[in-house]
Amino acid sequence: MKKPKLFLLHFAGGNCFSFQFLLPYLNDFEVFPLELPGRGKRMREPLIRDFEQAAKDMYHQVMQVLALDAFSASKFLIYGHSMGARLAFKVAGMLEKAHKLPVHVIISGSSGPSLLQNDRKIRHLMNKPELKLELQSLGGLPQEILENEEVFDFFEPIIRSDFEVVERNQLGPFPPIQTPIYAVMGDEEDTAPLITNWEQYTTTDFSYEVLPGNHFFIHQHPRRMAEIIQSCYATTPVYKY
């Protein structure tokens, strides 16, 4: 019996290796870590700075994988963190229009697309010292990268382009998807109390959980995140059209 597919969408500044910490706990899945151009295995490709273009890129990656397995019609899930959460929601809607419905969408590190409009920080235009302080406050980035000028100069264009993806062209509307959503956030995140905002973005089941930690709490809770993903697969969605 084939394993269900799990597509992983990375956070800003991430790549296809960003979920390595989670992989040992995902043996029940065939895992596909997706990656935007300009980093990792796609280093030679130009960076994307537009949200719609980034979503289309991720969508085509998913469709390519599903096309290779078209006759088995195996089930699949989508999980994204932070920028990846917003992209996961968008890609799920695109897949539904193509009649490819995920079993579940799992998002973490985000309280929903509409609330991004209330975030007045324009991170992709910050000067270098401000950007470093912002990245330090978010966590998730090794201190040695922030302190090594040569390494940071290599990383800086990637994180700026990803922040631009998040901060531009997301004015809505944000129509709900027909796929269940499971949202997870860290209790130290400012918008964690607003996590139930995600409920309005699905026409079917919604669940949520708040775990101890900051924006990158997922690194402290790989086993629990894997349990959540597994439970989302085990749950049969009830679609409300």
Side-chain angles (χ1 to χ4, degrees):
M1 184 176 178
K2 283 199 171 186
K3 296 180 179 180
K5 293 175 171 56
L6 173 63
F7 295 97
L8 304 177
L9 282 65
H10 62 75
F11 42 83
N15 56 40
C16 65
F17 304 107
S18 293
F19 292 100
Q20 289 293 112
F21 71 97
L22 193 55
L23 297 185
Y25 303 93
L26 296 174
N27 293 324
D28 293 334
F29 297 92
E30 188 179 6
V31 182
F32 296 90
L34 307 185
E35 182 175 63
L36 289 176
R39 84 285 312 280
K41 296 179 180 178
R42 304 181 67 184
M43 183 63 66
R44 296 178 182 273
E45 300 177 50
L47 291 163
I48 289 177
R49 303 180 184 279
D50 177 80
F51 179 80
E52 294 293 330
Q53 188 180 353
K56 288 178 183 177
D57 186 280
M58 294 288 197
Y59 166 77
H60 288 307
Q61 290 182 62
V62 174
M63 289 295 282
Q64 286 175 355
V65 173
L66 296 180
L68 295 175
D69 202 20
F71 295 107
S72 70
S74 60
K75 296 180 180 179
F76 69 97
L77 304 87
I78 303 175
Y79 166 51
H81 180 75
S82 194
M83 176 185 73
R86 179 68 183 90
L87 286 169
F89 171 71
K90 177 69 174 182
V91 170
M94 297 168 73
L95 288 165
E96 288 179 356
K97 290 180 180 178
H99 306 291
K100 302 286 186 182
L101 275 69
V103 171
H104 228 106
V105 172
I106 303 100
I107 65 94
S108 60
S110 171
S111 53
S114 63
L115 294 179
L116 286 173
Q117 300 175 52
N118 299 325
D119 187 351
R120 301 304 180 187
K121 291 183 179 179
I122 309 299
R123 297 175 178 87
H124 75 276
L125 294 179
M126 288 179 173
N127 60 41
K128 184 180 287 188
E130 289 176 329
L131 182 62
K132 285 187 174 183
L133 286 174
E134 181 66 17
L135 292 171
Q136 193 168 32
S137 69
L138 288 171
L141 190 67
Q143 192 65 28
E144 52 265 30
I145 293 180
L146 292 171
E147 295 174 352
N148 187 311
E149 285 299 316
E150 185 177 352
V151 175
F152 188 80
D153 285 346
F154 174 82
F155 174 75
E156 186 178 2
I158 299 172
I159 190 65
R160 286 191 185 278
S161 69
D162 285 357
F163 278 149
E164 192 168 353
V165 163
V166 175
E167 293 162 357
R168 288 181 58 207
N169 302 324
Q170 295 197 58
L171 301 178
F174 308 105
I177 57 177
Q178 301 165 16
T179 302
I181 292 176
Y182 199 116
V184 196
M185 293 187 74
D187 63 2
E188 295 175 22
E189 299 188 80
D190 291 341
T191 59
L194 304 175
I195 190 171
T196 54
N197 176 56
W198 275 105
E199 187 170 12
Q200 66 182 298
Y201 297 110
T202 176
T203 60
T204 181
D205 299 337
F206 169 74
S207 302
Y208 72 94
E209 187 167 339
V210 177
L211 296 172
N214 61 19
H215 186 61
F216 283 94
F217 69 94
I218 56 175
H219 291 106
Q220 282 72 55
H221 303 282
R223 187 181 297 276
R224 180 56 193 151
M225 290 305 300
E227 289 173 351
I228 289 170
I229 293 169
Q230 181 64 59
S231 68
C232 286
Y233 171 68
T235 302
T236 303
V238 179
Y239 297 109
K240 301 173 185 177
Y241 295 95

